[in-house]
Each structure stands twice: as C-alpha cells, then as structure tokens.
Amino acid sequence: MRVLVTGGAGYIGSHICLELLEAGHDVTVVDNLANGKREALRRVEALAQRPLELFTADLNHKDDLSAAFSGPRIDAVIHCAGLKAVAESVADPLRYYANNVAGTVTLCEVMRQHGVSRLVFSSSCTVYGDAATVPITEELPPAPVNPYGRTKRMIEQLLTDLQASDPAWDLTLLRYFNPAGAHASGSIGEDPAGVPDNLFAFIAQVAVGRRPELRVFGNDYPTPDGTGVRDYIHVVDLASAHVSALEPAGGPAPRVYNLGTGRGYSVLEVVEAFERASGRKIPYVITERRPGDIARAYADPSRAHAELGWRARRDLHEMCRDAWRWQSQNPDGYPDS
Ligand code: UFG
C-alpha cells in the first residue's frame, strides 16, 4: 500500500512512518512542519534504508493538500496531524477548532475527491475525560473536559457521521493513552518545542541536564503513592498498531480501539524507572496539582488484541531506556533544518 501520513514528521508520526516502511508500505508525508522536523524524516529514511515523500503543506490549504494526492495512488491515510497542548487549547480554542476539526474536514473532502476511503485517525484517551471507572473500555461514554479533547471527540463524531452517510468509507479511530519512549536506535524521538508538557519529555530533559528538576503535580490523589497514574505505551508499539489497523478487521466501521498496555504507573514510579534506566538522579519537588489533571487513567486494550491481533509488547523499562538513549544521543533534540 501507499499510505499518506499527516503529521508524519512529528514524534508519533515519524515512528509510524518507520514502521510502515519496514512493513513494506510506501509512505507520503503531509506536514506543515509547525512541530514536525524534516530531520526526523531523514533519519527515518536512513533507518529504513528507503525513501519517503514529503509534502510541506497545511491541512487547511486544500490545493497544497490535493497536490499530495495527485502523485502515485494513495491507498490509505493515517491522520496524526493536530495541535495537542491542553492549556494552549483553553487559551486559544479557535486555533484548535480551525486546525484540528476544520483541517480534518478538508482532509476528508480531498480524500473523497481522489477516491481514497480508508482513514485511521489518531484520537486520544482524552475523549473519556475523567473516567469514573478503570480500566477504561471503548464503551465508556466520551466526556472530554477541555477544548483539545473536544476537538478529538468532534473529529470522531464527524467521522462517524461520514461513515454512516456512505459505507464505502473505511474509518478507524485509535485512542492513544500516554505515548512514551523512542525508537531503540536512539535516532528518532520526542523533541517538544519549548517547555515540555508531558512527563516523559520533561524527565528526559532533567536527566540530560537541560532542566534542574521535575515538578510533580500533586501527591494527594487517591492513588497508592498519591501521584497521578497513567497508562504509558511505548511509541513503537503504538506505531505498530497503525500498521495492524490498515488491515481489514472485524466490527462495523468506524472501529474504535484503545491503545494502551492495560497497566498504570504513577509519576514517582516513572521517575524511579527512569533513574534506573539512565543511571541519572532525577531531582523533583512536589507542587500543586495541575488544573484539569485526573487521578488515574489506564486502558482496557483487549478489543485491539481481539480484532487487530495487536498488543503492546514493551514495558516501562524499555520506554525509559529508549527515551534516555534518544535524549542522551540528542541532548538538544533535532538540529534545525
Ligand atoms: N506530570 C507531572 N509533572 C510534569 C508533567 C506531568 O507531575 O511536569 C504528571 C501529570 O500530573 C500526570 C502525569 O504526569 O499525572 C502524566 O502527565 P502528561 O502531561 O505526560 O500526560 P497527561 O495524561 O496529562 O496527558 C496526556 C496527553 C494529552 C491528553 C491526555 C488525556 O499528553 O494530550 O493525556 O488524558 F489530553
């Protein structure tokens, strides 16, 4: 297949591109390079020893996007492009709706014009909001609690409506839990702009000396050690789920799958695991809770296993080891290019 990956130059997208190339697929990337890096794709090509195509285009620029569909026939789209910072989405919701929701509408229009009907969408466990019960199954009613989460949920709804309007569409929604780690080579990984929001990226920068200490956002949650519990999933496992999701699977479309390990770890457990994997001390201070955070979230990933034959294989130690390999080999992330 030739697979078009939106946001393919980003952290998750670049790992997906590599898995696709290694599985024998051809890859076309569409990325506006707002957060993605050209260098990430060069490294993907070097690892896979195969080229891919990059179109630098914004999803909301229909003509530019169309150009990406005008070359060799595209068989399927993996749609990862999107803004993803919760606080930023609260401060500037219009930007989030325009970029994430309107961008997806344009993408689907362009797909329809070019007769491409298969789409795998990067959704998020954020659509569940503060789930009353764990583990979280796909049956739980979505209740996102911030604009970012609402954009993800709206896209799921628009894709569901699209599927109902025309069964020729073949749509799959993947709800990611907390991606972490990097490719085992250490050559591609997470390179956030500015101060990292996410735990793993922040810890990695503390370990490498870019930041003095981690702030642990609250230790009074109803969890075993009081800190927040999440389902961290190795980014290579996450990427491989997309390759599985391209194959025809059971269940009526749009198919919805949780992608997690089914196991939660607390912030302090992650700190300890990272210290062990890196041999570095991670100084931390306990601070106030971060507004909008929830106590715990972890997946029931059994549907993805039953229907896609996929399961996460890498554990927390491998996430820490590979995140550290990436960060220590690339202390300042990718060079500017
Ligand atoms: N945390 C800290 N200090 C930090 C960063 C995070 O203590 O500097 C804690 C958080 O409080 C939380 C845990 O580490 O308990 C994980 O936080 P992340 O920011 O890494 O991940 P979240 O679970 O908050 O967010 C992730 C995605 C979001 C998505 C959300 C849905 O990054 O895009 O899951 O639950 F919206």
Side-chain angles (χ1 to χ4, degrees):
M1 277 192 247
R2 175 166 286 272
V3 184
L4 184 145
V5 184
T6 74
Y11 168 47
I12 297 170
S14 56
H15 287 83
I16 291 173
C17 291
L18 180 54
E19 289 300 299
L20 288 168
L21 290 171
E22 287 184 338
H25 299 301
D26 294 321
V27 174
T28 299
V29 170
V30 172
D31 199 301
N32 65 6
L33 300 180
N35 284 315
K37 299 285 171 62
R38 209 180 281 272
E39 176 64 13
L41 294 176
R42 287 193 201 107
R43 295 184 183 190
V44 166
E45 289 178 317
L47 287 167
Q49 304 211 313
R50 289 184 51 209
L52 52 71
E53 266 202 289
L54 168 64
F55 285 82
T56 308
D58 199 286
L59 290 190
N60 276 314
H61 295 168
K62 208 168 188 174
D63 293 343
D64 294 350
L65 187 55
S66 269
F69 284 83
S70 301
R73 155 133 206 107
I74 305 289
D75 299 295
V77 171
I78 295 177
H79 178 27
C80 300
L83 298 171
K84 62 173 187 77
V86 173
E88 195 180 68
S89 79
V90 174
D92 192 357
L94 285 182
R95 190 165 159 243
Y96 272 67
Y97 288 103
N99 190 87
N100 294 5
V101 181
T104 304
V105 172
T106 309
L107 173 65
C108 292
E109 285 172 348
V110 172
M111 286 177 67
R112 187 165 58 186
Q113 274 164 14
H114 290 83
V116 182
S117 55
R118 189 177 295 186
L119 176 91
V120 176
F121 172 57
S122 302
S123 191
S124 165
C125 67
T126 193
V127 299
Y128 296 113
D130 194 353
T133 54
V134 281
I136 295 172
T137 70
E138 292 86 351
E139 308 302 333
L140 209 82
V145 293
N146 56 57
Y148 159 69
R150 282 190 278 276
T151 66
K152 288 288 180 193
R153 180 59 191 150
M154 276 184 196
I155 295 167
E156 291 191 349
Q157 288 170 314
L158 87 83
L159 294 175
T160 304
D161 288 342
L162 193 58
Q163 182 77 66
S165 74
D166 181 356
W169 284 98
D170 182 1
L171 306 175
T172 303
L173 317 179
L174 300 180
R175 292 178 176 160
Y176 306 167
F177 279 68
N178 290 56
H183 187 259
S185 63
S187 137
I188 56 172
E190 187 173 13
D191 181 18
V195 181
D197 289 318
N198 295 121
L199 181 66
F200 254 82
F202 204 103
I203 290 182
Q205 292 194 4
V206 173
V208 84
R210 275 173 71 179
R211 306 198 181 268
E213 64 189 8
L214 171 72
R215 293 192 305 146
V216 175
F217 298 137
N219 65 350
D220 55 354
Y221 285 104
T223 60
D225 65 19
T227 65
V229 167
R230 296 290 185 278
D231 187 340
Y232 297 94
I233 171 172
H234 197 293
V235 65
V236 175
D237 282 329
L238 188 70
S240 78
H242 295 71
V243 180
S244 306
L246 289 174
E247 303 300 328
R255 290 174 290 275
V256 183
Y257 299 107
N258 283 341
L259 298 181
T261 64
R263 193 174 162 179
Y265 287 98
S266 74
V267 175
L268 295 182
E269 285 176 313
V270 174
V271 167
E272 206 183 297
F274 208 101
E275 286 184 335
R276 240 179 291 124
S278 65
R280 298 282 175 104
K281 190 89 199 120
I282 312 291
Y284 68 85
V285 288
I286 308 283
T287 67
E288 293 291 287
R289 290 182 179 193
R290 183 170 62 178
D293 268 356
I294 57 178
R296 60 203 172 128
Y298 54 92
D300 175 346
S302 53
R303 187 190 285 177
H305 185 231
E307 293 185 13
L308 300 176
W310 169 89
R311 70 152 56 111
R313 301 192 178 280
R314 295 163 178 82
D315 63 14
L316 183 65
H317 171 73
E318 288 166 285
M319 295 179 222
C320 294
R321 181 199 66 192
D322 295 340
W324 174 240
R325 189 172 291 133
W326 151 255
Q327 194 70 66
S328 53
Q329 288 178 16
N330 303 273
D332 298 313
Y334 293 111
D336 283 333
S337 54

